[in-house]
Structure formats: C-alpha cells, structure tokens
C-alpha cells in the first residue's frame, strides 16, 4: 500500500491483541455446510456472493474463492447503508477494473434488491433461453445479511411472478450462524428459477489477526470468541489512527452554543432544557450517539501524547473507555469490571450504523480510506 502501513493493519497488530492467536470458530454444522455448498455449487447457474460492504475483502470466504471464480457470479456488497458511500464507489470501480460483476445493496430496501434482481436476470439472459430450470445460489460468511436479502428477493419475486407454492421465509437473526440448513425457494416460473440460501461459513481458521478482528467487529464471529473488550479497543484504535474523532468537532461547538443559549434564556423554559445535550440528559438514542461522538472527540483533542506510539495510543483508548463509562451511565466499579459493559454498548452503536458510515478495509491501491 505504497509503503505505508494501513490504519486497519496497524490497529490489528497492537499489543492488546498479543497472545490472541488466530481466530478459530468452525462449529460442526459449518463443516457439513461447507461440503454441501461445494456439491450444490456444481449445479448453480449463477452465484450471488454476499459480502459486508464495510469489509469487501475481509468478508470473502477464501476457501471458496477458487470454486466461485469459475462460476457466473455477482458480488453483492450488502449493508451499503452502513458504509461510507464515497469509498463504496471506489470499491465498485475497483471490482469493475478486476472484471468482477459487483453491486452494492441494502437488503431492507425494495428498490435496492430490485436492482440486484435485474442484474441477476441480465446475467442469466443467455441461460434462460436454453434451460427450463435455473438455480441461483447465495453464499457468504455469517452475518453479512444473506437471510434478510433472500427474504426480500422472495417477497419481491413472488409479487412479480405468480407462485402457487406456499411462501417460505429464511430465518433472520442478529447472531452469526442462524441459518444452519440449506433451503430452496422458488422465485419464478417459465422458466422456473430457484434460489438456494446457505448457512454462513467461515474458513476453519483465520490466521490473519487484522481480518479476524474486522470480521468480529462487524459481527461475523461471535463476540465471545474474540472478546468484546478486545473488539472495542480495536474499533477505538481504528478511529483514533484515522483521526475520525476530529470529524465530530463541530458537535463540541454546537454544545457550547446550546449552553450559551440556555444560560441567556429563562431557566424555567423547559423546551430549551430538553435541547441540552449533556451527560445527564442523554435520554434519546441520538442524544447518546452525539454524546459518545463528543466524548471521543474531546478526549482525542485533550490527549497530549503521541498516538503514533503504540503504548501512548493504548493510554488514549483506556482514557476513552473511562469517559464512555460515564456516558453510558455504567455504575462505578474497578476499571477492569466496567470495560466489558462499556465495550458492549459501544459495539452496539457501531454495528447499528449510528456512529456513522465506515469502511474498514483499505483499497488495494490506497494507503488510507
């Protein structure tokens, strides 16, 4: 990457990950599912490989890539609503330059999924004229949103093509590995088109710590495997290395303006009191998000150490976790006992997209996102 260590790589190599080793999470059902997926891939006319738009490279199952690259394939970068749109466009251009069909999607948007369906039909245009029955197969690692996507595909396709069979839905859940069976869904007739949903399958071991942490941060690996504190520290290291807290500096200025507005007004004016965005009044989610962003910005600006030095960056991260404990109103206890609850709440905000759109992977031809 032009001789510069990427933010994600630097964060992945920090000392708080020392001794963590490779990420291993390969339950028994995954081994069986991996074999079944390989068998069915031989019959697939089109493969939709679903990846997380925030980690377009890290969310690829490397074990399946040799097989997938030989198939008619579309890369569906799901959860585009959680990804930085400017960098997302650069990723789409990157895959286009690699001669790989790619589209960014939001599984919960009918318009977005309709675009994917149109793309798939275009890819199958030649095969439709030759075969009476066609098979589309969805594959991807856990928690990239495959089940939500297939539910939307089935709902839209059923409205477009009369299907007598009873409508089925894939199981959707927030935890990786919810879909543990391979199920078929008829989505069209004349010709008959079936979509196969498959369980999310990781490689047996992820030796690259950086990739493992990205997968854990986006929920592809259960938190218990890597540890919530470790994942949260990785997130904070990324934000600080990329100087993301500086983007929220305007919130500090807005806070000062509100305080001045309140001080110069009638103190009994309840409408102004409700606008106050401080620690004690962070009742609503957006107020809480704003307070988290201001806290991270304030600690970053007030920190006098050198964040280029790993040990000093870790000091800043610890300071931020202490400050966030107060924001999340976690009862005062020894630091080690409050890190877990603080980390969990921070990760929840990040994964919901409320902290802002991010892309964690670095472009192959760029040193920084």
């Amino acid at each position: 990457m032009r001789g510069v260590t990427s933010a994600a790589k630097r964060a992945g190599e920090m000392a708080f990950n020392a001794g963590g080793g490779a990420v291993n999470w390969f339950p028994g059902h995954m081994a069986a599912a991996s074999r079944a997926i390989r068998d069915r891939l031989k019959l697939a006319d089109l493969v939709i490989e679903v990846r997380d738009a925030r980690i377009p490279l890290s969310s690829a199952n490397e074990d399946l890539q040799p097989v997938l690259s030989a198939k008619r394939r579309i890369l569906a970068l799901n959860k585009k609503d959680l990804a930085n749109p400017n960098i997302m466009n650069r990723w789409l251009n990157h895959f286009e330059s690699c001669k790989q069909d790619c589209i960014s999607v939001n599984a919960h948007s009918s318009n977005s999924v309709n675009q994917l369906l149109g793309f798939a039909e275009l890819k199958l245009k030649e095969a439709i004229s030759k075969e009476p029955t066609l098979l589309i197969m969805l594959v991807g690692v856990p928690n990239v949103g495959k089940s939500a996507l297939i539910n939307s595909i089935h709902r839209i396709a059923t409205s477009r093509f009369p299907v007598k069979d009873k409508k089925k839905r894939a199981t959707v859940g927030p935890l990786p590995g919810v879909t543990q069976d391979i199920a078929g869904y008829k989505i069209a007739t004349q010709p008959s088109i079936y979509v196969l949903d498959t369980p999310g399958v990781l490689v047996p071991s992820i030796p690259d710590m950086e990739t493992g942490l990205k997968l854990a941060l986006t929920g592809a690996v259960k938190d218990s495997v890597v540890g919530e504190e470790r994942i949260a520290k990785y997130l904070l290291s990324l934000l600080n290395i990329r100087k993301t807290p500086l983007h929220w500096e305007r919130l500090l200025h807005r806070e000062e303006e509100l305080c001045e507005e309140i001080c110069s007004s009638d103190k009994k004016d309840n409408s102004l009191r409700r606008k106050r965005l401080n620690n004690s009044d962070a009742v609503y989610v957006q107020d809480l998000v704003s307070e988290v962003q201001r806290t991270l910005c304030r600690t970053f600006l007030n920190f006098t150490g050198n964040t280029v030095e790993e040990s000093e960056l870790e000091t800043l991260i610890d300071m931020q976790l202490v400050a966030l404990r107060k924001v999340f109103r976690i009862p005062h206890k020894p630091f080690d006992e409050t890190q877990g609850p603080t980390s969990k709440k921070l990760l929840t905000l990040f994964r919901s997209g409320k902290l802002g759109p991010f892309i964690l992977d670095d472009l192959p031809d760029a040193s920084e996102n």
Side-chain angles (χ1 to χ4, degrees):
M1 299 184 179
R2 300 179 183 176
V4 180
T5 302
S6 71
K9 185 175 181 60
R10 181 186 166 198
E13 293 174 345
M14 285 184 64
F16 61 76
N17 292 317
V23 176
N24 292 279
W25 185 57
F26 201 69
H29 76 270
M30 279 195 181
S34 184
R35 291 191 296 269
I37 288 171
R38 290 176 181 275
D39 290 341
R40 285 163 175 76
L41 275 173
K42 300 172 185 177
L43 304 175
D45 297 287
L46 173 67
V47 176
I48 297 179
E49 183 186 357
V50 187
R51 299 187 188 179
D52 190 316
R54 296 167 296 179
I55 46 174
L57 294 182
S58 298
S59 56
N61 186 319
E62 291 300 331
D63 280 4
L64 291 178
Q65 290 309 303
V67 180
L68 296 178
S69 62
K71 303 292 295 185
R72 186 186 285 110
R73 172 175 59 162
I74 294 175
L75 288 185
L77 303 184
N78 192 29
K79 304 186 182 183
K80 72 174 185 178
D81 53 312
L82 303 182
N84 184 306
N86 295 323
I87 303 175
M88 189 76 269
N89 289 331
R90 291 167 60 191
W91 272 107
L92 294 175
N93 292 334
H94 165 73
F95 285 115
E96 182 180 352
S97 69
C98 296
K99 309 299 181 183
Q100 172 59 64
D101 292 314
C102 183
I103 184 172
S104 59
V105 298
N106 175 357
H108 301 288
S109 165
S110 296
N111 290 335
S112 183
V113 179
N114 263 316
Q115 291 178 1
L116 175 61
L117 283 176
F119 197 6
E121 290 173 10
L122 182 63
K123 291 287 289 181
L124 285 173
K125 188 175 182 180
E126 182 179 346
I128 285 175
S129 64
K130 298 179 181 179
E131 299 290 341
T133 301
L134 299 172
L135 181 64
I136 299 175
M137 192 167 182
L138 265 66
V139 299
V141 302
N143 214 36
V144 291
K146 288 189 295 81
S147 295
L149 180 58
I150 200 170
N151 283 340
S152 294
I153 289 175
H154 193 223
R155 182 173 58 253
I156 293 171
T158 300
S159 68
R160 289 167 53 183
F161 307 105
V163 178
K164 295 180 181 180
D165 297 338
K166 185 179 180 180
K167 186 175 180 180
K168 299 178 181 178
R169 292 177 63 84
T171 301
V172 179
L175 298 177
V178 170
T179 305
Q180 297 188 8
D181 221 342
I182 294 181
Y185 304 84
K186 187 174 183 179
I187 66 167
T189 56
Q190 297 179 352
S192 295
I193 300 179
Y194 290 85
V195 175
L196 285 187
D197 185 27
T198 60
V201 178
L202 289 172
V203 295
S205 178
I206 308 170
D208 176 24
M209 181 57 65
E210 178 190 347
T211 299
L213 286 169
K214 289 176 186 176
L215 288 167
L217 182 54
T218 54
V221 177
K222 289 182 178 178
D223 289 346
S224 57
V225 175
V226 181
E228 288 174 339
E229 296 173 22
R230 190 175 171 197
I231 301 171
K233 286 185 176 182
Y234 174 67
L235 171 59
L236 288 173
S237 66
L238 272 180
L239 296 179
N240 290 320
I241 292 172
R242 292 179 173 178
K243 296 181 171 56
T244 302
L246 294 179
H247 299 165
W248 300 323
E249 190 170 0
R250 58 182 172 75
L251 295 175
L252 294 180
H253 300 316
R254 178 58 180 157
E255 182 183 37
E256 293 174 358
E257 292 173 0
L258 284 174
C259 287
E260 292 176 1
E261 184 180 356
I262 291 172
C263 291
S264 61
S265 67
D266 184 355
K267 293 183 179 180
K268 295 183 180 180
D269 189 339
N270 291 329
S271 63
L272 285 176
R273 287 185 180 182
R274 290 192 63 183
K275 290 182 181 179
R276 191 176 181 183
L277 298 178
N278 61 24
N279 199 32
S280 61
D281 294 325
V283 177
Y284 302 104
V285 173
Q286 189 53 53
D287 290 351
L288 177 61
V289 171
S290 297
E291 185 61 24
V292 168
Q293 292 172 329
R294 283 198 303 275
T295 298
L296 293 179
C297 180
R298 189 181 296 109
T299 52
F300 185 89
L301 290 172
N302 292 339
F303 186 65
T304 57
N306 183 3
T307 56
V308 175
E309 296 293 330
E310 183 177 309
S311 60
E312 296 192 40
L313 178 57
E314 287 189 58
T315 298
L316 170 60
I317 291 171
D318 286 341
M319 289 172 55
Q320 289 173 327
L321 286 173
V322 170
L324 288 175
R325 178 191 64 77
K326 298 177 182 178
V327 174
F328 293 135
R329 299 183 179 181
I330 295 172
H332 181 72
K333 293 180 180 179
F335 180 58
D336 290 344
E337 295 180 26
T338 59
Q339 272 193 316
T342 303
S343 299
K344 184 174 183 178
K345 289 182 178 293
L346 178 63
L347 292 176
T348 298
L349 288 181
F350 170 79
R351 289 167 179 164
S352 67
K354 291 182 172 61
L355 281 183
F358 294 98
I359 289 186
L360 306 176
D361 275 343
D362 291 300
L363 283 158
D365 59 347
S367 60
E368 201 71 42
N369 279 351

